[in-house]
Amino acid sequence: AQTVTQSQPEMSVQEAETVTLSCTYDTSENNYYLFWYKQPPSRQMILVIRQEAYKQQNATENRFSVNFQKAAKSFSLKISDSQLGDTAMYFCAFMKPLTQGGSEKLVFGKGTKLTVNP
Amino acid sequence: DAGITQSPRHKVTETGTPVTLRCHQTENHRYMYWYRQDPGHGLRLIHYSYGVKDTDKGEVSDGYSVSRSKTEDFLLTLESATSSQTSVYFCATSTGTGGANEKLFFGSGTQLSVL
């Protein structure tokens, strides 16, 4: 079974600075997807960024980028120019692609609570 | 987000009573999921469905049952609610195509308190 580990329960950063959230995972699969979801106090789950394991290039979305190290099974999220609105819980998640007759499920880490200070 | 509606948004109930949470989607997505979110545990999968009347257990399925009689509706039932089932429950959907854009879409969650 796949597992996802987020080793930082809480982090804080000053506004406009850069912060990196860590995520490691365990799988025997070669092809899979990795995600970072953001959950602000509104409770809504918002997809931040997505990475396909077969792509060597790290995904980026505006101020958000990842450092994907497949061999090390590491998938960290970097937030540049942090903003107050980035304050939220951040969840790392793993998904095994759909296979014939199988099913896909998203496995989550326990989350990192990020606070951006003014 | 993606036309997923959970009802109710909040519910308070007593130990031992049955409770049903409803998830309704308008996206015609094949897959539907129920997760629970608890502090220190992240989101854990309760049950999921890969088609009408096709369901399977997740990692924390004890005490829960599900039904999916139509593509758009996925019901989660707590047969006899216990205080340990106090949680935030999220419904999610996905197309199930496994394509390059596959991801989960989430509802807004249901806060359930069992007293």
Side-chain angles (χ1 to χ4, degrees), chain A residues 37 39 43 50 98 104 106, chain B residues 33 35 37 96 100 102 104:
Chain A
Y37 277 88
Q39 187 182 44
R43 204 167 69 192
R50 181 180 186 278
L98 188 68
E104 57 189 34
L106 206 60
Chain B
Y33 311 81
Y35 285 88
Q37 182 180 12
E102 190 64 81
L104 259 64

Side-chain angles (χ1 to χ4, degrees), chain B residues 25-72:
Chain B
Q25 57 131 337
T26 59
E27 301 298 316
N28 200 35
H29 285 171
R30 178 185 174 194
Y31 277 65
M32 298 186 76
Y33 311 81
W34 278 107
Y35 285 88
R36 61 177 288 176
Q37 182 180 12
D38 304 289
H41 291 276
L43 280 81
R44 294 178 291 174
L45 183 65
I46 305 171
H47 282 280
Y48 64 101
S49 169
Y50 45 97
V52 173
K53 296 186 180 179
D54 291 324
T55 65
D56 205 350
K57 296 179 180 180
E59 62 177 308
V60 290
S61 60
D62 286 348
Y64 301 95
S65 62
V66 290
S67 65
R68 192 168 178 200
S69 58
K70 298 185 289 185
T71 298
E72 55 267 35

